[in-house]
Amino acid sequence: MHLFETEEGDKWVCITCGVEQEEMITAKKWEWIFDRNDQTIRCSLCGHPDYDIDD
């Protein structure tokens, strides 16, 4: 999960949305802060974690 600083506050973005929304992220000048591997964090764009864990 990537954490970005935005004009509306910090937002977590999953790997998939990071790739799919790269143009929007660049256009809005979101600044990357750091990455974290944590399944409890949800993407602010799609609401899902980076990966689903299979039982």
Side-chain angles (χ1 to χ4, degrees), residues 9-45:
D10 295 348
K11 292 188 178 189
W12 288 103
V13 178
C14 69
I15 294 169
T16 304
C17 287
V19 172
E20 292 176 354
Q21 301 295 326
E22 184 176 2
E23 288 183 26
M24 182 272 301
I25 290 169
T26 303
K28 290 188 174 186
K29 299 181 180 169
W30 288 9
E31 186 176 334
W32 173 80
I33 300 174
F34 63 87
D35 292 334
R36 176 172 286 163
N37 293 327
D38 185 342
Q39 292 304 314
T40 61
I41 301 171
R42 299 292 186 243
C43 177
S44 64
L45 301 176

